[in-house]
Amino acid sequence: MKIFTKPARAALNDVTSAVTDTADLLQQSGQLKRGYGLASGALAFFLAALCFLGVLAFHFPQYLTTPELRREYNPDVIRTIMFAAMVLSGSISLLNVAFGRRRSLNGMAGLLIIATLVLGGSHVPVADFPDHTPYIGLDWFILDLLGSTVIFAGIEKIFPLYKGQMLFRREWQTDLVHFAVNHFIVGLALLTVNFVIHRLFGWMASDTIQNAVQSIPFVPQLLLCILCADLVQYCTHRAYHEIPFLWRFHAIHHSAKTMDWLAGSRQHMLELLITRVGVLGALYVLGFEKNVMDVYIVVVGFQAVFNHANVHLPWGPLKYVIVTPDFHHWHHSSDDVAIDKNYAAHFAFIDYFLGTAVRGQTGFPEKYGVVGDYVPDGFTKQLVFPFRSQKND
Ligand SMILES: [Zn+2]
Ligand SMILES: [Zn+2]
């Protein structure tokens, strides 16, 4: 029995080959050639994919949005951004398809925009919904990916460290999956970290210490907060380098062979959780004020990404005080001089004081990654790697 008519079969074949072609393209890396509809098609597809995920988040906010985040943003602004992205992506993909440029990629972008429209586009009404459902941080993923791409890819373009470095450099897919998963599990991570902190550190909290800390004015209190966080981070980071079992987890972060803003996302989720428990546990015991903690979260979020970016700025003597991309790039270098150095995440002077700073280097690292290059590529392989590999300790 024939289920499809001839034209329907032909259309289905077209869609299938467009999906296969686009999937193949997403497996690749390299330069986006101008004039072939590839760069604009990639932009159209990127925006269309985010719009499609966005419309799903509007339909299922209780399962796909982050309570802590949705309290901070205005849904009307998000709707406007989404509408603009749909118009831009739809126009680019339509033009490229019409002119026969990269039809499969642009066609897929167009199909995603049509699917988004069918599902209600940027006008999906949101009714009251329960607040305490299990969720994945899809909204956090969409907004952070869009914002970070605009901000950090923009800075990388204006002040590049390695000028010829491509946007779609090798292994970008692995880092994007790390980025996505780290954002999706934000709810679980917050819950776990809060639970463990209260269990482990609750008995240490003292009103006397917390009152003393909260009596410090905002700016010095913020600097103290960042310093305390960095000292804890320095210790855990150094332990990850010096204790062989822990290194197997941290080697994932160091396995990036090309540095850019997305490379910082490559991190084993257990390492992420353990470091957060240590750092936030110390800050909880000391009892910093909420507005100080809010700014600290922004600072740590910015530096964690920025320090990996392919960016070079004239820092002058400031590079001995704060951690810059120059400083953290050396931490990722596989050059002999840089092994187990530059541990700090905020204040570079910590490494200079403790004798673990890379000294005497005026240029930039020649090689990045793990000496011996034994960490596999791919998110799942990297997730299980620490539990399997013993031989490179
Ligand atoms: Zn490290
Ligand atoms: Zn790093």
Side-chain angles (χ1 to χ4, degrees), residues 139-362:
D139 57 342
W140 174 220
F141 166 74
I142 298 169
L143 294 173
D144 199 23
L145 183 59
L146 190 64
S148 297
T149 307
V150 171
I151 296 169
F152 295 108
I155 304 177
E156 287 183 341
K157 200 83 191 147
I158 303 167
F159 306 105
L161 172 59
Y162 299 105
K163 285 197 177 70
Q165 190 166 303
M166 294 165 287
L167 183 64
F168 293 100
R169 40 76 183 176
R170 272 182 60 205
E171 300 183 359
W172 66 270
Q173 299 91 339
T174 298
D175 296 344
L176 184 61
V177 177
H178 276 285
F179 182 93
V181 175
N182 291 346
H183 284 70
F184 290 164
I185 61 162
V186 64
L188 188 65
L190 284 172
L191 211 66
T192 313
V193 170
N194 275 335
F195 178 78
V196 178
I197 283 174
H198 284 89
R199 278 288 165 110
L200 283 184
F201 302 102
W203 62 275
M204 287 191 216
S206 117
D207 285 349
T208 321
I209 295 174
Q210 296 192 343
N211 288 340
V213 168
Q214 286 171 13
S215 67
I216 303 170
F218 178 78
V219 174
Q221 193 182 143
L222 175 64
L223 293 175
L224 181 66
C225 172
I226 298 173
L227 181 64
C228 291
D230 212 6
L231 287 172
V232 176
Q233 189 278 146
Y234 178 96
C235 296
T236 52
H237 194 177
R238 198 161 167 178
Y240 272 110
H241 275 251
E242 295 184 357
I243 300 171
F245 174 71
L246 295 181
W247 168 252
R248 294 207 295 273
F249 289 86
H250 190 54
I252 307 303
H253 182 61
H254 278 267
S255 67
K257 292 184 277 290
T258 314
M259 295 288 280
D260 64 10
W261 70 271
L262 191 58
S265 302
R266 181 183 292 218
Q267 208 169 0
H268 197 282
M269 61 173 76
L270 281 182
E271 183 197 337
L272 205 77
L273 288 175
I274 291 169
T275 305
R276 271 189 203 166
V277 165
V279 171
L280 295 176
L283 302 185
Y284 161 73
V285 169
L286 291 168
F288 289 96
E289 280 181 333
K290 188 185 174 301
N291 52 356
V292 166
M293 286 300 293
D294 288 347
V295 178
Y296 162 71
I297 299 291
V298 174
V299 169
V300 72
F302 179 82
Q303 275 196 299
V305 180
F306 182 64
N307 290 338
H308 296 89
N310 177 34
V311 167
H312 176 50
L313 288 162
W315 297 104
L318 209 58
K319 68 181 178 193
Y320 299 107
V321 182
I322 58 166
V323 173
T324 61
D326 302 26
F327 183 91
H328 194 64
H329 272 227
W330 275 106
H331 178 69
H332 279 263
S333 165
S334 54
D335 296 357
D336 285 349
V337 71
I339 302 297
D340 298 340
K341 297 273 165 57
N342 288 12
Y343 291 115
H346 304 294
F347 289 128
F349 63 75
I350 296 176
D351 277 292
Y352 286 101
F353 276 138
L354 297 177
T356 49
V358 174
R359 289 173 185 268
Q361 298 299 318
T362 48

Side-chain angles (χ1 to χ4, degrees), residues 21-96:
D21 204 27
T22 307
D24 281 350
L25 207 60
L26 293 174
Q27 301 292 320
Q28 295 171 22
S29 54
Q31 200 76 45
L32 295 175
K33 288 184 200 142
R34 286 171 194 276
Y36 292 90
L38 190 55
S40 55
L43 173 67
F45 184 81
F46 172 69
L47 292 176
L50 291 189
C51 288
F52 182 71
L53 294 176
V55 81
L56 294 181
F58 270 121
H59 275 287
F60 305 103
Q62 66 274 46
Y63 303 117
L64 299 179
T65 66
T66 315
E68 288 78 4
L69 189 63
R70 65 179 179 244
R71 282 196 278 271
E72 301 296 324
Y73 59 70
N74 179 347
D76 291 336
V77 175
I78 305 292
R79 287 181 196 280
T80 310
I81 296 171
M82 189 173 160
F83 181 73
M86 287 169 67
V87 171
L88 186 62
S89 170
S91 318
I92 294 171
S93 54
L94 193 68
L95 279 173
N96 278 332

